Structures are given as structure tokens and as C-alpha cells.
Amino acid sequence: GAVVSQHPSRVICKSGTSVKIECRSLDFQATTMFWYRQFPKQSLMLMATSNEGSKATYEQGVEKDKFLINHASLTLSTLTVTSAHPEDSSFYICSATDWGVNEQFFGPGTRLTVL
Amino acid sequence: AQTVTQSQPEMSVQEAETVTLSCTYDTSESDYYLFWYKQPPSRQMILVIRQEAYKQQNATENRFSVNFQKAAKSFSLKISDSQLGDAAMYFCAYVTNFGNEKLTFGTGTRLTIIP
């Protein structure tokens, strides 16, 4: 089946540093990838949609200069949290899909802790 | 805009019994997909079942089945013979059938299985 990986699974960083999270589709081409943020006991909140080779579309209220998304290939998207602060601590999940599939395949998530 | 509502924040069921989780949605589209996702403590999103809106027959996957009422915009999930491994957050989700559109999630229902 369709497998999506995320790396790292957990990351701890100091306030003010930048952190990069990778999302890879292992056995299919992901023309579109989605990045979500999930707070404890809450639903997934879509941050942005990225299509391969084009700029990401950010949801209202998400700072595009803070959460940099790159989708340079059909199998890899990256989310970079720039100048991270404690309030950025959260669980970040990516998902991937291809044209006409009408289903998203989720990565296992990345827990970010900013000290 | 499409919305998905899960009115039961928490549900519990005795092991081996049957439980039904509710979901309603609002859309002006006629062609779309509905999903139930399970998120266990590992936080990996797992697809439980999907339903295409154009299909009248309710989807089933082993112990999981849905009651899809298109006119009422209702999409409930029935879990039969509940098992301890079914304990998780369950999210109802909707997507239009226009390509790589974003999922709209409900707020989730936490299901507890009582041994």
C-alpha cells in the first residue's frame, strides 16, 4: 500500500533555532502533500497544501515566513519551522496524495518540542 | 464552505458490544468522498473506511460499517464486536471529488473500550 514516512519522529530544539521536517512518499508519486498541526486532544488543523514544483498554499492565519514548505520532487516535501518558539511545540503530520486518488496517506507525525 | 460535525466528544463501549459514532456534514456538492480515520495513541492516522457519495450501498470493512444517509448528510460509523485495540480517536472527514482537494475533518470522538 501507499506509505508515507516522516523524519524525524521527535525533535527537541532551543528557542530561536530552525527545524526541518521531511515528508516522503515511499512507493508512489505525491503530486500534492498536506501539512497539518495537531494539539493534544484536538483535531488536525491544515496548515498548508503543497503541489510539486509550485509554491505552497497556506491556510488563513498560518505564517508562511515562519513555516516554510518546499515540495521540490514528487516524493519529498519539507516543512521548516524558522526561529522556533515554545508555542510552536506541537505534533506535525504530513499527508500525500496523487491526482485522481481521492485519498490521503498519512505520515506517522513529528513531535516538536521547543525549549 | 464544507463543515463536518462530530457531536460526541467521547464514547465508551463494553468489549464485544456494538457502538455507533455519529457524523454529519454540510456541503452543496453532489459528488464527494467521506472517510472515517482512526488515530490510536501512536497518533498514526489509519483509514478505517471510505464511502463514495455516488454509491448508495453502505461501505463495510470487516467489523466496521457505515450508515450513509446522503439526503440527511449523515455518515455514522458502526463498530461491531468491539475490541480493546479499537480504543482511539476517530475522525470523520470529507473531500470533494475535484482532484487533490484538502480534507475537512470533524473534531473527533474518543472511543474507550471497557474490558
Side-chain angles (χ1 to χ4, degrees):
Chain A
V3 179
V4 176
S5 69
Q6 273 184 249
H7 179 79
S9 57
R10 289 175 175 263
V11 57
I12 301 172
C13 69
K14 292 182 178 179
S15 185
T17 61
S18 294
V19 174
K20 180 183 285 188
I21 302 170
E22 292 186 348
C23 178
R24 291 182 185 273
S25 58
L26 299 185
D27 51 4
F28 68 102
Q29 295 185 77
T31 49
T32 303
M33 287 184 169
F34 302 87
W35 286 96
Y36 298 86
R37 185 173 181 175
Q38 187 180 30
F39 292 105
K41 298 185 179 181
Q42 293 190 22
S43 188
L44 281 69
M45 182 191 78
L46 181 66
M47 300 174 66
T49 302
S50 76
N51 292 297
E52 185 267 337
S54 60
K55 289 185 178 180
T57 301
Y58 290 82
E59 295 298 301
Q60 193 171 10
V62 178
E63 299 176 61
K64 62 180 180 180
D65 294 331
K66 181 168 186 61
F67 299 99
L68 301 178
I69 292 172
N70 183 279
H71 191 169
S73 79
L74 285 171
T75 60
L76 174 65
S77 177
T78 60
L79 167 67
T80 301
V81 183
T82 62
S83 187
H85 290 284
E87 57 265 31
D88 298 324
S89 298
S90 190
F91 193 70
Y92 292 88
I93 304 174
C94 73
S95 70
T97 190
D98 196 7
W99 275 104
V101 172
N102 286 313
E103 181 177 337
Q104 292 184 25
F105 304 98
F106 287 84
T110 297
R111 182 178 301 281
L112 170 63
T113 302
V114 185
L115 302 176
Chain B
Q2 295 87 3
T3 59
V4 177
T5 301
Q6 292 180 250
S7 59
Q8 305 155 315
E10 297 184 355
M11 292 282 285
S12 60
V13 63
Q14 207 77 32
E15 193 176 2
E17 296 295 309
T18 297
V19 65
T20 299
L21 308 184
S22 301
C23 173
T24 58
Y25 58 96
D26 188 24
T27 182
S28 58
E29 306 293 341
S30 61
D31 199 9
Y32 48 88
Y33 291 80
L34 295 164
F35 306 88
W36 277 99
Y37 283 94
K38 169 185 178 181
Q39 189 180 40
S42 68
R43 302 188 79 170
Q44 169 74 61
M45 295 289 283
I46 300 167
L47 178 63
V48 175
I49 200 165
R50 61 182 280 170
Q51 174 81 43
E52 291 89 340
Y54 66 88
K55 289 187 177 179
Q56 292 186 337
Q57 187 173 5
N58 290 324
T60 62
E61 287 289 340
N62 300 312
R63 298 183 295 108
F64 299 87
S65 61
V66 298
N67 183 2
F68 174 48
Q69 301 290 327
K70 191 172 183 178
K73 296 180 182 175
S74 171
F75 181 62
S76 61
L77 174 70
K78 186 172 82 171
I79 306 174
S80 304
D81 185 26
S82 297
Q83 300 176 0
L84 294 177
D86 295 333
M89 280 290 288
Y90 286 82
F91 294 101
C92 178
Y94 161 102
V95 70
T96 59
N97 188 26
F98 292 127
N100 293 352
E101 298 293 323
K102 58 186 180 183
L103 281 169
T104 300
F105 282 96
T107 51
T109 297
R110 180 172 299 281
L111 178 64
T112 300
I113 310 297
I114 303 167

